[in-house]
Amino acid sequence: MINPTRALDLSDHTLLGRTILQILPALHSGGAERTCVDIAAALASEGARGLVAASGGRLVSELQAKGGLWTPFPAATKNPIEMMLNISRLTQILKTEQVNLIHARSRAPAWAAYYAARRVGIKFVTTYHSSYAASSPIKLQYNSIMASGDMIIANSNYMARRIKELYPAAQDRVTVIPRGIDLNLFCPSQIEPSRVQRLRDQWSVAPHERILLMPARLSARKGHETLIDAIKLLLSRGAARDLRVILAGDAHSKSFRKTLEAQLMRADLASFVHCVGHCEDMPAAYLAAACVVAPAIVPEAFGRVGVEAQAMGAPVIISDIGAAPEIIVGSSRPPAQMATGWRVPPGNADALASAIEEALSMRASARQTLAHYAREHVHKNFSIEKMQRSTLDVYRNLLKSF
């Protein structure tokens, strides 16, 4: 991460003393929220003020500790009347705080941000953190606000292509900045064994059991049901009986969690698969895992789980859709030369089960080879410093030309 205490780059004063406001629904957990905090930290290191307008959440304290400033704001609302009122509320904040640029990371707050930015005459940036389903003309129009930025950041080449296909007029304003992770935080050598053991105890994992980890919010689009079907297949083959399946993530909706729990009961897997909620120590969780899975059934703009798992040297399996080819190198069976994990067809429980079985049967030397290439791939392409530099360059270029 850019060091907040380092000397400023005196060759470029563009951000010094400037105020950048990022806006998103809340600061709980997830790629958009984590990126927001990382960029606020980078702004502080450049002598800029990094404001975040959001309804709050568990990351507020970390944001403030890293030099960011939280501005409480009802950004999560999708009520049309409240969204209209948010334009005036946000305009007042922009004027009071003398904001120079606003960066929206979600659709509902982006509508308020766009019109507020135009009222006060400042630049407007957006980031696509999701592929956003365009199932109807109305939905396509609602999503279009994310393609209305003076600059539009796509988390992957896949997402950039998607934006240009849906909104051709935006193609000259799209730039690709992959999500970056803190490689000091996600580093196997930095994890004390006690942290791994603490999680195993917390999750009631027996000493002889291996962990199959799925870190994702409980949502139908993430592929939990495909994983359950894959586990049933493995057990029917007499495999994976020493596994403990851990589903780590907040519930996207209570109804889906109930549906998932009912599916586990019907499959007689309730004692085998555990929903443990949000995990505060993901680096240790990846290190504890014998295998990590991210079997999404719809394309995603990026694949943070795939990147983090590779950084920790964990065998990882993701669905071969969306940005997957950019995240995992090689679809052939590891430890093929330079392969960093597995990509399987989305919604295909049999393919997922086979990949899990292959990952769990790897010998130590093969797993070490896989981990080596995986970490190398992440260090080259997905560092937090690279993401911070690229994002701040977007801000600099817009502010210089304005």
Side-chain angles (χ1 to χ4, degrees), residues 248-268:
D250 292 325
H252 185 64
S253 71
K254 291 182 180 179
S255 61
F256 180 73
R257 176 160 188 153
K258 290 179 179 178
T259 298
L260 193 62
E261 290 172 344
Q263 184 183 6
L264 291 171
M265 290 293 290
R266 289 194 301 271
D268 197 25

Side-chain angles (χ1 to χ4, degrees), residues 67-131:
L69 300 167
W70 174 48
T71 300
F73 191 82
T77 183
K78 293 183 179 180
N79 180 294
I81 296 175
E82 287 297 314
M83 288 172 67
M84 290 293 292
L85 291 173
N86 272 353
I87 297 173
S88 296
R89 294 166 181 154
L90 190 56
T91 299
Q92 187 58 48
I93 291 174
L94 299 183
K95 290 179 178 178
T96 302
E97 298 292 344
Q98 297 184 331
V99 174
N100 302 107
L101 181 149
I102 187 166
H103 185 168
R105 297 185 178 276
S106 184
R107 291 168 296 176
W111 282 99
Y114 173 82
Y115 286 106
R118 294 299 180 258
R119 283 186 180 182
V120 300
I122 62 174
K123 292 293 186 179
F124 172 59
V125 176
T126 61
T127 291
Y128 271 77
H129 289 282
S130 174
S131 56

Side-chain angles (χ1 to χ4, degrees), residues 203 210-216 227 243-248 276 279 282 284-295 305 309 315 317:
W203 295 338
R210 293 185 292 174
I211 293 174
L212 177 64
L213 177 67
M214 181 175 172
L227 175 60
L243 275 189
R244 177 63 64 93
V245 182
I246 300 295
L247 308 181
V276 299
C279 176
M282 283 309 302
Y286 289 121
L287 200 59
C291 180
V292 177
V293 293
V305 168
I317 304 162

